[in-house]
Coordinates of all heavy atoms in Angstrom, one line a residue:
F273 N 113.7 110.1 116.3 CA 114.1 111.4 116.1 C 113.6 112.0 114.8 O 114.1 111.7 113.7 CB 115.7 111.5 116.1 CG 116.3 111.4 117.5 CD1 116.1 110.3 118.4 CD2 117.1 112.5 118.0 CE1 116.6 110.3 119.6 CE2 117.6 112.5 119.3 CZ 117.4 111.4 120.1
N274 N 112.5 112.7 115.0 CA 111.8 113.3 113.8 C 112.5 114.5 113.2 O 113.2 115.2 113.9 CB 110.4 113.6 114.2 CG 110.4 114.7 115.3 OD1 110.7 114.4 116.4 ND2 110.0 116.0 114.9
A275 N 112.2 114.7 111.9 CA 112.6 116.0 111.3 C 111.7 117.1 111.7 O 110.6 116.8 112.1 CB 112.7 115.8 109.8
D276 N 112.2 118.3 111.6 CA 111.4 119.5 112.1 C 110.1 119.6 111.3 O 109.1 120.2 111.8 CB 112.2 120.8 112.0 CG 113.3 120.8 113.0 OD1 113.2 120.1 114.0 OD2 114.3 121.6 112.8
D277 N 110.1 119.2 110.0 CA 108.9 119.5 109.2 C 108.0 118.3 109.1 O 107.0 118.3 108.3 CB 109.3 119.9 107.8 CG 110.2 118.8 107.1 OD1 110.6 117.8 107.8 OD2 110.5 118.9 105.9
E278 N 108.2 117.3 109.9 CA 107.3 116.1 109.9 C 105.9 116.4 110.6 O 105.9 117.1 111.6 CB 107.9 114.9 110.6 CG 109.0 114.2 109.8 CD 109.4 112.9 110.4 OE1 108.7 112.0 110.5 OE2 110.6 112.9 110.9
M279 N 104.9 115.8 110.0 CA 103.6 116.0 110.6 C 103.4 115.1 111.8 O 104.0 114.0 111.9 CB 102.5 115.6 109.6 CG 102.5 116.5 108.3 SD 102.1 118.2 108.8 CE 100.4 118.0 109.3
P280 N 102.6 115.5 112.8 CA 102.5 114.8 114.0 C 101.9 113.3 113.7 O 102.3 112.4 114.4 CB 101.4 115.5 114.8 CG 101.7 117.0 114.4 CD 102.1 116.9 112.9
T281 N 101.1 113.2 112.8 CA 100.6 111.8 112.4 C 101.7 110.9 111.9 O 101.7 109.7 112.2 CB 99.4 111.9 111.4 OG1 99.9 112.7 110.2 CG2 98.2 112.5 111.9
D282 N 102.6 111.5 111.1 CA 103.7 110.7 110.7 C 104.6 110.2 111.8 O 105.1 109.1 111.9 CB 104.6 111.5 109.7 CG 103.7 111.7 108.4 OD1 102.9 110.9 108.0 OD2 104.0 112.8 107.7
V283 N 104.8 111.2 112.8 CA 105.6 110.8 114.0 C 104.9 109.7 114.8 O 105.6 108.8 115.2 CB 105.8 112.1 114.9 CG1 106.5 111.7 116.2 CG2 106.6 113.2 114.1
M284 N 103.6 109.8 114.9 CA 102.9 108.7 115.6 C 103.1 107.4 114.9 O 103.3 106.4 115.6 CB 101.4 109.1 115.6 CG 100.6 108.0 116.3 SD 98.8 108.1 115.9 CE 98.8 107.7 114.2
H285 N 103.0 107.3 113.6 CA 103.1 106.0 112.9 C 104.5 105.5 113.1 O 104.6 104.3 113.2 CB 102.8 106.3 111.4 CG 101.3 106.4 111.2 ND1 100.4 105.4 111.5 CD2 100.6 107.4 110.6 CE1 99.2 105.8 111.1 NE2 99.3 107.0 110.6
A286 N 105.5 106.3 113.1 CA 106.9 105.9 113.3 C 107.0 105.3 114.8 O 107.6 104.3 115.0 CB 107.9 107.0 113.2
N287 N 106.3 105.9 115.7 CA 106.3 105.4 117.1 C 105.5 104.1 117.2 O 105.9 103.2 118.0 CB 105.9 106.4 118.1 CG 106.9 107.5 118.4 OD1 107.9 107.2 118.9 ND2 106.7 108.7 118.0
L288 N 104.4 104.0 116.5 CA 103.7 102.7 116.5 C 104.5 101.6 116.0 O 104.5 100.5 116.5 CB 102.4 102.9 115.7 CG 101.2 103.8 116.3 CD1 100.2 103.9 115.3 CD2 100.7 103.1 117.6
A289 N 105.2 101.9 114.9 CA 106.1 100.8 114.4 C 107.2 100.4 115.4 O 107.6 99.3 115.5 CB 106.8 101.3 113.1
A290 N 107.7 101.4 116.1 CA 108.7 101.1 117.2 C 108.1 100.3 118.3 O 108.8 99.3 118.8 CB 109.3 102.4 117.8
L291 N 106.9 100.5 118.6 CA 106.2 99.6 119.7 C 106.1 98.2 119.2 O 106.4 97.2 120.0 CB 104.9 100.2 120.0 CG 104.9 101.4 121.0 CD1 103.5 102.0 121.0 CD2 105.3 101.0 122.4
D292 N 105.7 98.0 117.9 CA 105.7 96.6 117.4 C 107.0 96.0 117.4 O 107.2 94.8 117.7 CB 105.2 96.7 116.0 CG 103.7 97.1 115.9 OD1 103.0 96.9 116.9 OD2 103.2 97.5 114.8
A293 N 108.1 96.7 117.1 CA 109.4 96.2 117.2 C 109.9 95.8 118.6 O 110.4 94.8 118.9 CB 110.4 97.2 116.6
L294 N 109.6 96.7 119.5 CA 110.0 96.5 120.9 C 109.3 95.3 121.5 O 109.9 94.6 122.4 CB 109.6 97.7 121.8 CG 110.5 99.0 121.6 CD1 109.8 100.2 122.1 CD2 111.8 98.7 122.4
A295 N 108.1 94.9 121.1 CA 107.4 93.8 121.6 C 108.2 92.5 121.3 O 107.9 91.5 122.0 CB 106.0 93.7 121.0
Q296 N 109.1 92.5 120.4 CA 109.9 91.3 120.1 C 111.1 91.1 121.0 O 111.8 90.0 120.9 CB 110.4 91.4 118.6 CG 109.3 91.6 117.6 CD 109.9 91.7 116.2 OE1 110.7 91.0 115.8 NE2 109.4 92.8 115.5
L297 N 111.4 92.1 121.9 CA 112.6 92.0 122.6 C 112.5 91.4 124.0 O 111.5 91.5 124.7 CB 113.2 93.5 122.8 CG 113.5 94.2 121.5 CD1 113.9 95.7 121.9 CD2 114.6 93.5 120.7
R298 N 113.6 90.7 124.4 CA 113.8 90.2 125.8 C 115.2 90.3 126.2 O 116.0 89.8 125.4 CB 113.3 88.7 125.9 CG 111.9 88.4 125.5 CD 110.9 88.9 126.5 NE 109.5 88.5 126.3 CZ 108.8 89.1 125.4 NH1 109.2 90.2 124.7 NH2 107.5 88.7 125.2
P299 N 115.6 91.1 127.2 CA 114.7 91.8 128.2 C 113.8 92.8 127.5 O 114.2 93.3 126.4 CB 115.6 92.3 129.2 CG 116.9 92.5 128.4 CD 117.0 91.4 127.5
R300 N 112.7 93.1 128.1 CA 111.8 94.1 127.5 C 112.3 95.5 127.4 O 113.0 96.0 128.2 CB 110.5 94.2 128.4 CG 109.8 92.9 128.6 CD 109.4 92.2 127.3 NE 108.4 93.0 126.5 CZ 107.1 92.9 126.6 NH1 106.6 92.1 127.6 NH2 106.3 93.6 125.9
G301 N 112.0 96.0 126.2 CA 112.4 97.4 126.0 C 111.3 98.3 126.3 O 110.2 97.9 126.8
Y302 N 111.4 99.6 126.1 CA 110.3 100.5 126.2 C 110.5 101.6 125.1 O 111.6 101.8 124.6 CB 110.1 101.1 127.6 CG 111.2 102.1 128.1 CD1 111.1 103.4 127.8 CD2 112.2 101.6 128.9 CE1 112.1 104.3 128.2 CE2 113.2 102.5 129.3 CZ 113.1 103.9 129.0 OH 114.1 104.7 129.5
L303 N 109.4 102.4 124.9 CA 109.4 103.4 123.9 C 109.6 104.8 124.5 O 108.9 105.2 125.5 CB 108.1 103.5 123.1 CG 108.0 104.5 122.0 CD1 109.0 104.3 120.9 CD2 106.5 104.6 121.4

């Protein structure tokens, strides 16, 4: 959940970090 003034690239990096975190889960999660 991004703030209104965040740059798109910053939002992307937050989502990339979330994907790395999700890869550790069983049952599998998704983004």
Side-chain angles (χ1 to χ4, degrees):
F273 278 62
N274 60 286
D276 291 339
D277 59 352
E278 283 189 70
M279 296 296 294
T281 51
D282 294 331
V283 175
M284 178 200 66
H285 285 300
N287 281 298
L288 287 173
L291 283 167
D292 289 339
L294 283 161
Q296 304 178 45
L297 300 177
R298 299 292 185 279
R300 300 303 298 271
Y302 71 84
L303 179 67

